[in-house]
Amino acid sequence: MSGFPLWLVYALLSAFFAALTAIFAKAGLKDVNSDLATAIRTAVILVITWGIVLFRGNAGGVSGLTRNNWLFLVLSAVATGMSWLFYYRALQIGRVQEVSIIDKGSILFTIFLSFFFLREPLTARVLVAAGLIFGGMLVLIWK
C-alpha cells in the first residue's frame, strides 16, 4: 500500500462499518423501541471502546485533558447521541437505503461548519463533491 494514505484506509473501513451498522440496526429494530435500541448500542460501544483504551494502556491520558478538551468531547458526545437517536428512529420507520443516504447529508453540514468554525478551505473540488452529494439527496427525495 505504498503511497496509499492510512487515513483513507481508516475512512473506507469507517464507511464499511457504518453500512453494516445500518443493515444490522434495521434488522434489530423490528418490534423494538428505537430509543432502547440506541441505549443498547451505546452500552456495547462503551464497553468495547473502554476495553481498547485499557488494553492499550491509554487510560492515564484522562488526567491530561484540558477543560477545552472536555467541553468539546462532551459536546461531540451529545451531538453523537442525538444523531444516533434520530437515526435509529428514522431507520425504524423508513427504508434503510433512503435513511442512510439522507444521513450522509451530514457531510454537507460538516463541510460548511468546518469552513465557518475551523476555517478549513472550501476548494473547488470540495464544492463539486458537495454539489454531487446534494444532487444525489435531491434525486432520492424527489417524488
Side-chain angles (χ1 to χ4, degrees), residues 15 30 43 104 113 116 120:
K30 186 171 174 53
K104 297 313 175 221
L113 291 172
F116 288 112
E120 292 186 359

Side-chain angles (χ1 to χ4, degrees), residues 45-95:
I45 292 168
L46 180 71
V47 170
I48 291 170
T49 53
W50 273 107
I52 291 168
V53 166
L54 294 171
F55 178 76
R56 291 186 176 170
N58 294 325
V62 171
S63 63
L65 296 175
T66 66
R67 283 186 179 167
N68 204 41
N69 295 138
W70 278 107
L71 171 66
F72 286 107
L73 290 173
V74 167
L75 288 174
S76 175
V78 169
T80 297
M82 296 304 294
S83 173
W84 289 355
L85 288 167
F86 288 117
Y87 182 70
Y88 265 51
R89 182 66 181 132
L91 277 178
Q92 189 169 48
I93 60 179
R95 292 180 42 179

Side-chain angles (χ1 to χ4, degrees), residues 12-70:
L12 290 170
L13 286 169
S14 173
F16 174 73
F17 284 107
L20 288 179
T21 297
I23 300 302
F24 294 157
K26 181 67 175 182
L29 280 168
K30 186 171 174 53
D31 302 323
V32 176
N33 175 277
S34 62
D35 296 334
L36 174 62
T38 304
I40 292 168
R41 171 189 182 184
T42 303
V44 171
I45 292 168
L46 180 71
V47 170
I48 291 170
T49 53
W50 273 107
I52 291 168
V53 166
L54 294 171
F55 178 76
R56 291 186 176 170
N58 294 325
V62 171
S63 63
L65 296 175
T66 66
R67 283 186 179 167
N68 204 41
N69 295 138
W70 278 107

